[in-house]
Amino acid sequence: MKNSGVITDLGVSVDPTVLSKYSNGKHALVAQGGGQKGIFTAGVLDSLLEASIDPFDVFYGTSAGALNITSFLCRQKGLGKAFITDLTTRPEFFRLFTHIRRKKRLDLDWVFEQLSEPPYLLDVDVGRFVLGDRQAFAAVTNIDDLHDEYLPIMVNEWIDVLKATCAIPALYRHEIEINQKRYVDGGVSAAIPAQEAWRKGARLITVIRTEPVDLNAEIEPEPTNEPSFLSKVGLDQHFEAIQNSIANRTAGWRVDLNGFLQERIAKSQSIETDKLKPLLNGGRWLFGSGDVYRLCHLLGDQFDAGIMDMLMIHHQTFTLTHNFMLKPPDDCFILQIAPEEPLRSSPLLSKAEDLEFDYQMGIQAGRNFIAQFSSLSSNPDVIHQGAYTKM
């Protein structure tokens, strides 16, 4: 029984008979990040808003994915797109040469101020009403132990929550403090929080991705050339135990840290031929290991153990997520919405025409999702909502 499927802008690869067996279970929407690549996600969710469709019981988003989910819940069609195309392309937010010459970091403070006033005002009151007794979470990374945590989005501190899930190390200078804890980008530890949705009872998990999906891909092996704390871990083990094994780094690895860092830096400089590149790049975190190294070098920052820890934990946790989605537990169905081909946009510095192209791909993928779900039931209205209520 193939309890996973993919919907793209060009077609559907789903066994409807199998999918129908899970369609009455708790349905989670999970949205990946990826910076400006989130324009695809914006297109998917805008197509759902256009059709007044919202079949989800719980929401999880990382970085740009959390932003798109928020605009979806606030029923503000086009806001996710405008955030990316209008705001993240502005020099006030990020300009590469200014970033290098003056060490001016990603200005998350400025960009989120824009969401607090017209014309980009995020209507959080509507979002809370639409959410009702459902829940929506943003994935963040606790800087003290590098564990993933999930913060409610529709709270009074919603700006801090969204800022925290987007606070990319090496690009944004500060951690975000919420309730006396310090957080950075959720993409470090939970680029795609599908396991969290499953652990909390979701049995149909729709994941919006920002890169193509191959359902026939092989399960990724655990890294074999890494420190001992990253030894092979089976998916059947509890995920918290996996995180603890990563966080509790061995003394032996710390002693050999300098040699290990030099090895990884050399590897990052030839990243184009590094077979691990697909797991360290492609929008799963904003940059791959080679890019982070080069960025630190240009800024005069230290490529230190803290950054290395984040890269390694990102790699390890994403490998586990990749394998989880390729071969989900028997009690859930993973449905991935993804582009058929690699997106034209980049995490940052994308061209306007590429962003528009990828947005339209998302619109079409969303329409294909709607058609697939409408065919599951003799009463298609089961997946429709009224203006602000869930059926």
Side-chain angles (χ1 to χ4, degrees):
M1 180 176 71
K2 188 70 171 178
N3 57 327
S4 61
V6 175
I7 295 176
T8 74
D9 50 295
L10 294 184
V12 175
S13 178
V14 178
D15 185 332
T17 302
V18 178
L19 176 59
S20 65
K21 296 178 181 178
Y22 298 86
S23 60
N24 291 324
K26 185 178 181 180
H27 190 175
L29 175 65
V30 175
Q32 182 180 5
Q36 291 175 348
K37 287 176 177 286
I39 196 70
F40 175 83
T41 304
V44 172
L45 294 179
D46 277 354
S47 68
L48 270 61
L49 287 177
E50 188 175 60
S52 298
I53 287 177
D54 179 356
F56 310 109
D57 300 298
V58 64
F59 304 84
Y60 296 89
T62 298
S63 192
L67 286 163
N68 278 311
I69 281 177
T70 304
S71 62
F72 174 75
L73 288 171
C74 293
R75 298 302 189 249
Q76 290 175 276
K77 180 177 178 290
L79 181 60
K81 179 185 181 184
F83 182 89
I84 293 172
T85 59
D86 297 354
L87 297 179
T88 69
T89 58
R90 296 263 295 273
E92 292 93 334
F93 176 64
F94 182 77
R95 179 176 285 175
L96 181 61
F97 293 111
T98 303
H99 182 78
I100 293 171
R101 288 197 306 266
R102 303 179 188 173
K103 293 191 178 184
K104 184 177 179 181
R105 308 293 171 142
L106 206 69
D107 199 341
L108 289 179
D109 303 302
W110 173 82
V111 79
F112 279 105
E113 284 174 6
Q114 308 309 305
L115 291 180
S116 302
E117 56 190 37
Y120 305 104
L121 178 63
L122 193 64
D123 198 337
V124 178
D125 289 336
V126 168
R128 291 172 182 146
F129 187 76
V130 168
L131 193 61
D133 58 0
R134 298 181 291 172
Q135 293 179 302
F137 300 98
V140 295
T141 301
N142 187 313
I143 195 64
D144 294 321
D145 57 17
L146 298 185
H147 279 205
D148 55 320
E149 295 186 22
Y150 301 89
L151 303 181
I153 297 174
M154 296 298 176
V155 293
N156 291 335
E157 303 80 15
W158 62 270
I159 289 182
D160 288 338
V161 171
L162 292 178
K163 196 183 296 184
T165 193
C166 297
I168 302 161
L171 276 182
Y172 184 65
R173 188 177 295 277
H174 310 291
E175 301 95 14
I176 306 299
E177 184 171 330
I178 301 174
N179 296 329
Q180 299 181 322
K181 293 184 179 181
R182 297 177 302 145
Y183 298 108
V184 294
D185 178 20
V188 173
S189 57
I192 307 175
Q195 290 111 317
E196 176 68 10
W198 174 69
R199 287 195 299 268
K200 293 301 173 63
R203 291 303 173 255
L204 174 56
I205 304 172
T206 296
V207 180
I208 306 178
R209 299 287 300 275
T210 52
E211 70 272 321
V213 175
D214 180 6
L215 284 178
N216 297 315
E218 295 182 1
I219 298 293
E220 291 285 348
E222 298 301 316
T224 58
N225 191 31
E226 311 293 0
S228 60
F229 78 90
L230 290 177
S231 58
K232 182 173 178 62
V233 182
L235 281 175
D236 56 337
Q237 290 183 257
H238 195 279
F239 198 66
E240 184 176 352
I242 296 171
Q243 291 176 311
N244 287 333
S245 72
I246 294 172
N248 297 327
R249 290 170 285 278
T250 66
W253 175 71
R254 281 298 188 192
V255 170
D256 195 39
L257 175 62
N258 289 334
F260 174 69
L261 280 176
Q262 292 304 315
E263 177 187 346
R264 294 302 296 177
I265 289 171
K267 201 170 188 180
S268 74
Q269 291 172 313
S270 59
I271 194 69
E272 287 75 13
T273 59
D274 186 348
K275 66 182 180 180
L276 293 180
K277 182 180 179 182
L279 289 179
L280 289 171
N281 212 336
R284 295 172 183 133
W285 199 16
L286 188 55
F287 292 106
S289 59
D291 298 310
V292 172
Y293 165 71
R294 295 185 185 103
L295 183 64
C296 290
H297 178 73
L298 286 170
L299 291 172
D301 290 349
Q302 185 179 2
F303 188 71
D304 60 13
I307 293 176
M308 197 66 243
D309 284 351
M310 292 181 195
L311 284 169
M312 298 304 296
I313 286 175
H314 165 75
H315 173 48
Q316 180 77 356
T317 55
F318 188 84
T319 301
L320 293 168
T321 301
H322 169 83
N323 294 346
F324 175 86
M325 293 191 297
L326 279 181
K327 191 174 180 180
D330 291 340
D331 65 349
C332 79
F333 193 102
I334 302 288
L335 180 61
Q336 300 185 67
I337 305 175
E340 184 72 29
E341 300 292 337
L343 296 176
R344 294 184 181 182
S345 51
S346 303
L348 276 175
L349 307 174
S350 302
K351 296 179 180 178
E353 58 268 28
D354 291 339
L355 290 171
E356 181 61 31
F357 184 89
D358 293 344
Y359 175 76
Q360 294 301 328
M361 287 177 65
I363 289 284
Q364 187 56 54
R367 289 171 178 167
N368 290 342
F369 170 83
I370 293 167
Q372 180 67 37
F373 259 78
S374 296
S375 67
L376 284 179
S377 173
S378 58
N379 179 17
D381 288 340
V382 73
I383 65 168
H384 285 256
Q385 285 196 329
Y388 304 116
T389 58
K390 183 170 192 302
M391 297 182 66

